Amino acid sequence: YRGKNITSMKANEIARLGLVRSFQISAVFGHMSVLENVRVALQQKMGNSFHFWKSERSLRELDDQVMQLLAEVDLQSFAQTLAVELPYGRKRALELATTLALDPFVLLLDEPTQGMGSEDVDMVVELVRKAAANRTVLMVEHNLSVVSRLCDRITVLARGSVLAEGDYDSVSANPQVREAYLGSEAATLEEAHA
């Protein structure tokens, strides 16, 4: 990664290099407010995440940055809401804000729209699009609508091997991809109707 072998590095060390990941299951501090969740992430970047004994007042210097990040993910009106009270889609947005607080060069997302209703999917797609404006985003996603709307380059894996790579149109038309994901009978039926 950026000329450095990171294979044996710990996740927090890799994150400090600008390679930040977000998992499929939302990971926020439910007992903390939305603002506090993002503030903790900013503290990590500043190197004082373990200064939990500092007064609340001394941490308020981060609040302008927090509110900017919350505005990026359309959560500024939820700043004082406990994270546990957020609907699932908003929790994903909060997790994206905490990830962006680390100012990554590369953002790894694992199925960011998994388990969401269509209204939340649309919101998260737009948030990921914004996040990708100034950085590389590598995403695992099985929702083909999301893939078609977000991805410039797609790699399809089957049984641990690369099956196809390219843009959405070429990959979705690939007969090997169709057979692997639709089955040989479905792929043959689709070809007959084309």
Side-chain angles (χ1 to χ4, degrees):
Y1 170 71
R2 304 181 81 195
K4 186 171 188 167
N5 183 346
I6 61 171
T7 307
S8 63
M9 293 178 74
K10 295 176 182 173
N12 63 326
E13 295 169 333
I14 294 170
R16 282 191 200 101
L17 295 175
L19 180 63
V20 180
R21 60 188 174 173
S22 174
F23 295 101
Q24 187 178 40
I25 297 170
S26 187
V28 297
F29 297 111
H31 65 285
M32 293 169 61
S33 72
V34 168
L35 183 139
E36 291 167 332
N37 268 270
V38 178
R39 190 190 290 155
V40 165
L42 284 172
Q43 285 176 259
Q44 171 64 30
K45 184 155 174 53
M46 294 176 64
N48 65 354
S49 60
F50 296 107
H51 293 184
F52 48 83
W53 59 86
K54 282 190 165 188
S55 71
E56 171 92 14
R57 194 176 72 239
S58 69
L59 296 174
R60 287 196 183 123
E61 68 187 52
L62 299 172
D63 288 356
D64 287 343
Q65 285 179 275
V66 170
M67 292 309 291
Q68 274 184 308
L69 286 161
L70 292 180
E72 283 184 43
V73 298
D74 200 24
L75 284 178
Q76 62 274 33
S77 64
F78 295 91
Q80 298 306 319
T81 304
L82 289 180
V84 73
E85 295 173 7
L86 294 174
Y88 184 68
R90 297 285 182 187
K91 283 180 185 168
R92 295 296 289 176
L94 174 56
E95 186 172 25
L96 185 57
T98 61
T99 303
L100 293 175
L102 299 175
D103 197 23
F105 295 110
V106 178
L107 184 57
L108 305 175
L109 301 176
D110 183 15
E111 297 192 61
T113 63
Q114 177 65 28
M116 291 185 184
S118 60
E119 66 284 348
D120 285 338
V121 168
D122 292 340
M123 175 192 67
V124 170
V125 164
E126 288 311 309
L127 295 177
V128 171
R129 186 184 318 283
K130 280 188 208 175
N134 299 313
R135 62 188 48 87
T136 299
V137 176
L138 177 62
M139 178 173 69
V140 173
E141 181 60 68
H142 294 98
N143 182 328
L144 296 183
S145 170
V146 171
V147 171
S148 70
R149 291 161 51 196
L150 280 177
C151 300
D152 298 323
R153 182 165 182 77
I154 300 165
T155 302
V156 178
L157 300 173
R159 296 187 174 107
S161 298
V162 174
L163 192 58
E165 286 186 295
D167 63 19
Y168 182 81
D169 290 336
S170 64
V171 168
S172 64
N174 183 304
Q176 292 174 307
V177 171
R178 289 178 174 273
E179 183 174 335
Y181 288 92
L182 299 175
S184 57
E185 288 180 32
T188 303
L189 284 174
E190 277 203 16
E191 288 171 12
H193 290 104

